[in-house]
Amino acid sequence: EARGVLQQLMRGGVVACQPLHAKCPRLFSAVDLEVQQAYEALAAVQASLDAARGSGAFSDLARLSHLVQQPLRTLERHAARVDLTEAAARLRAVGACKGLVALCARMARVRDPQDESLRPHDPASSRSQQLHYARLECYQVVLEIGEDLLVLARQHCGPAC
C-alpha cells in the first residue's frame, strides 16, 4: 500500500523520484524509476506542446515527436510494470496514438505471453477469464483511439462521411 501511495506522489510530481531512489534504492526498483522518468519526459513534451499551441509556434513539432520515442521505448521495455491508464493518458495527451497502440499490443502480450486466453483449455476457468480481461483492457484502449479518430474524421468532413 505504501508503494502505491509513493507512486501516486511521484506521478503527481510531489516526490522527486531520482533523488529519492538515490538515497533509498530499496524503496522502489530501478524499473519503477525508469517508468516514472518516462512519464516525466512525456509530461515535459506535453508542456512544450501546450506552450507551442499557446504561442502558435509549431516549428518544433518534429523535435517533440522525436522526444516521445525514448519514453515510449522505456514503457514498452517495462510493459509489465506500466500502469495502462496512466500511460494511455500521457501518450494520448502528446498525440502519440501509434505508439500507444504498439504499447497496448506489447502489454497484452506481456499479460498473456502464452496466448492462453486465445486458445483456452477451459474457457470457464478463472485463469482463462483473468487473462482474457487483462488482454481486453489493452485492446479497449486501442478501440477508444479508433473511436476518437472516427469522431474527428466525421467532424472534419461533416455529414458527407
Side-chain angles (χ1 to χ4, degrees):
E1 187 178 326
R3 287 180 194 248
V5 171
L6 179 61
Q7 286 178 337
Q8 288 178 347
L9 291 172
M10 287 189 309
R11 286 183 193 136
V14 176
V15 174
C17 59
Q18 184 73 32
L20 182 60
H21 183 70
K23 288 187 182 202
C24 192
R26 292 188 204 178
L27 194 54
F28 54 94
S29 71
V31 169
D32 293 330
L33 176 63
E34 287 183 36
V35 168
Q36 181 59 34
Q37 289 172 328
Y39 291 152
E40 290 173 4
L42 291 171
V45 170
Q46 182 181 358
S48 295
L49 281 171
D50 291 345
R53 285 184 191 115
S55 69
F58 287 101
S59 60
D60 282 346
L61 286 180
R63 182 182 67 82
L64 291 174
S65 176
H66 177 72
L67 292 176
V68 169
Q69 296 309 308
Q70 180 59 41
L72 186 56
R73 281 192 297 272
T74 298
L75 295 175
E76 286 181 6
R77 190 171 57 250
H78 301 304
R81 300 295 287 269
V82 171
D83 178 306
L84 180 58
T85 304
E86 177 83 14
R90 291 185 184 261
L91 288 167
R92 289 181 76 160
V94 297
C97 293
K98 184 177 176 182
L100 179 53
V101 169
L103 178 62
C104 287
R106 174 79 178 121
M107 289 180 74
R109 185 70 165 149
V110 165
R111 290 176 176 191
D112 181 15
Q114 303 302 317
D115 294 330
E116 293 176 56
S117 67
L118 302 178
R119 298 178 302 280
H121 296 290
D122 179 9
S125 76
S126 63
R127 177 163 174 75
S128 291
Q129 290 181 6
Q130 286 174 340
L131 291 171
H132 170 79
Y133 286 111
R135 275 187 178 259
L136 188 63
E137 180 185 19
C138 299
Y139 300 148
Q140 186 64 37
V141 171
V142 175
L143 181 60
E144 289 169 3
I145 292 169
E147 289 173 344
D148 289 349
L149 291 174
L150 183 60
V151 166
L152 286 173
R154 286 184 178 149
Q155 288 174 348
H156 181 70
C157 68
C161 290

